Amino acid sequence: MKTKLLFLSISLLLYSVTIIGQTKTWDFGNDETTWPIGNGYNTNTIVDNLGIEWNVNSPTASNVGVIESSPKTFTDGYVGANRFKLNGAGYSGSTFQVMPTQRYVYFATAGNCTIKVWFRTGGSGTRTLYITDGTSTIGSLGSNVSGDPLILEATYTGSATNLYIYGDQSNNLYKIEVTGALGTTTLDTDIFKNGLNVNAYATNSQIFISNIISNTQINIYTLTGQLVRSLNTSTDINFELNKGFYIVNVVSSEGNKKSFKIII
């Protein structure tokens, strides 16, 4: 009996390790069955549990996900024959946004995980690829050398959420590898919630509220529910807060509502 119980315990432990340590790979560079060479996406979709977001609030955003032949060898020995083109920045304007609004890919994680992205920049000047959870940056890597093969590695520690991959300008993805507790990716419709496109994010000690198009009430609370700031505005705004975790509640004059978790 003790031998059977020991065997069962070891089996369950190995099963748990297998689940926690599972690895998912999206190989744009070589898997032409899943990622065939051809046209990109002009609509939001999910392919092999990877979300592809074309355009949330910029009508001029070009399609994302064009697969083209573009061989590249990376420093770890990986060779990709094709590239996945992001075709531009993951947001509108020149100010970095921690929650992308266009031209990004994403996946659901059920908890802690590590992420590796094999990519290269898409043109001249310094270009950076980001991994975020929508409220903070998990990792970033850039280069000012077009075609330079880069590997971005990052670790996410937290609860279940979506993780987003996008650039400040056009970048080309070759492979994404995620090890950890994965979830089931669904269409990322949160930014459309109640028709409100307002975005909130933090940079250093500043909170930025953007995409405001009408009279909007903004209330900011601590995680314990204490109101720390309340204001009304009809234009984009930014202000300073002390380090900490905050909930930003936004209500438009039309009655549309949206909430954000912000970390400073």
Side-chain angles (χ1 to χ4, degrees), residues 197-219:
N197 288 337
V198 171
N199 187 35
Y201 59 95
T203 300
N204 296 323
S205 61
Q206 295 283 320
I207 286 183
F208 294 82
I209 312 294
S210 62
N211 298 333
I212 294 176
I213 61 174
S214 64
N215 195 40
T216 300
Q217 179 66 37
I218 301 170
N219 293 323

Side-chain angles (χ1 to χ4, degrees), residues 168-186:
D168 61 349
Q169 298 183 65
S170 181
N171 283 278
N172 303 294
L173 310 180
Y174 282 80
K175 185 169 70 167
I176 300 172
E177 184 178 275
V178 181
T179 301
L182 299 176
T184 300
T185 303
T186 58

Side-chain angles (χ1 to χ4, degrees), residues 206-249:
Q206 295 283 320
I207 286 183
F208 294 82
I209 312 294
S210 62
N211 298 333
I212 294 176
I213 61 174
S214 64
N215 195 40
T216 300
Q217 179 66 37
I218 301 170
N219 293 323
I220 300 177
Y221 300 87
T222 65
L223 292 184
T224 60
Q226 179 184 0
L227 180 66
V228 295
R229 183 141 190 177
S230 181
L231 57 98
N232 194 282
T233 181
S234 58
T235 60
D236 292 359
I237 192 171
N238 65 281
F239 46 85
E240 187 171 337
L241 283 179
N242 295 328
K243 290 183 178 180
F245 295 81
Y246 299 96
I247 302 296
V248 179
N249 288 341

Side-chain angles (χ1 to χ4, degrees), residues 13-30:
L13 177 60
L14 291 175
Y15 176 77
S16 299
V17 170
T18 300
I19 293 298
I20 294 173
Q22 64 180 306
T23 297
K24 175 63 179 177
T25 301
W26 294 282
D27 190 353
F28 312 110
N30 299 294

Side-chain angles (χ1 to χ4, degrees), residues 27-260:
D27 190 353
F28 312 110
N30 299 294
D31 182 5
E32 292 188 16
T33 300
T34 306
W35 308 101
I37 293 177
N39 295 330
Y41 299 91
N42 290 323
T43 185
N44 306 324
T45 189
I46 296 173
V47 178
D48 192 24
N49 207 35
L50 183 71
I52 302 171
E53 188 80 31
W54 167 61
N55 170 16
V56 171
N57 57 17
S58 175
T60 60
S62 59
N63 60 336
V64 62
V66 177
I67 303 293
E68 293 181 343
S69 175
S70 183
K72 184 61 60 176
T73 299
F74 291 78
T75 55
D76 64 347
Y78 167 74
V79 180
N82 306 318
R83 64 181 178 180
F84 178 110
K85 297 176 66 176
L86 287 174
N87 263 342
Y91 48 88
S92 299
S94 58
T95 301
F96 171 70
Q97 295 184 24
V98 76
M99 179 64 198
T101 56
Q102 60 188 25
R103 305 189 193 96
Y104 64 90
V105 298
Y106 64 99
F107 61 91
T109 178
N112 300 346
C113 65
T114 59
I115 311 101
K116 290 180 68 175
V117 184
W118 289 254
F119 76 102
R120 70 174 180 82
T121 60
S124 61
T126 300
R127 302 188 177 201
T128 303
L129 189 74
Y130 295 92
I131 303 173
T132 78
D133 63 2
T135 60
S136 59
T137 300
I138 308 302
S140 64
L141 181 63
S143 174
N144 61 0
V145 180
S146 178
D148 191 17
L150 303 170
I151 304 175
L152 168 58
E153 299 186 56
T155 300
Y156 170 74
T157 303
S159 57
T161 190
N162 282 343
L163 297 182
Y164 305 91
I165 300 172
Y166 58 99
D168 61 349
Q169 298 183 65
S170 181
N171 283 278
N172 303 294
L173 310 180
Y174 282 80
K175 185 169 70 167
I176 300 172
E177 184 178 275
V178 181
T179 301
L182 299 176
T184 300
T185 303
T186 58
L187 285 177
D188 193 7
T189 56
D190 180 65
I191 199 160
F192 295 108
K193 187 177 180 181
N194 293 322
L196 189 61
N197 288 337
V198 171
N199 187 35
Y201 59 95
T203 300
N204 296 323
S205 61
Q206 295 283 320
I207 286 183
F208 294 82
I209 312 294
S210 62
N211 298 333
I212 294 176
I213 61 174
S214 64
N215 195 40
T216 300
Q217 179 66 37
I218 301 170
N219 293 323
I220 300 177
Y221 300 87
T222 65
L223 292 184
T224 60
Q226 179 184 0
L227 180 66
V228 295
R229 183 141 190 177
S230 181
L231 57 98
N232 194 282
T233 181
S234 58
T235 60
D236 292 359
I237 192 171
N238 65 281
F239 46 85
E240 187 171 337
L241 283 179
N242 295 328
K243 290 183 178 180
F245 295 81
Y246 299 96
I247 302 296
V248 179
N249 288 341
V250 180
V251 182
S252 71
S253 58
E254 295 81 15
N256 297 322
K257 302 177 181 179
K258 198 169 184 181
S259 295
F260 302 87

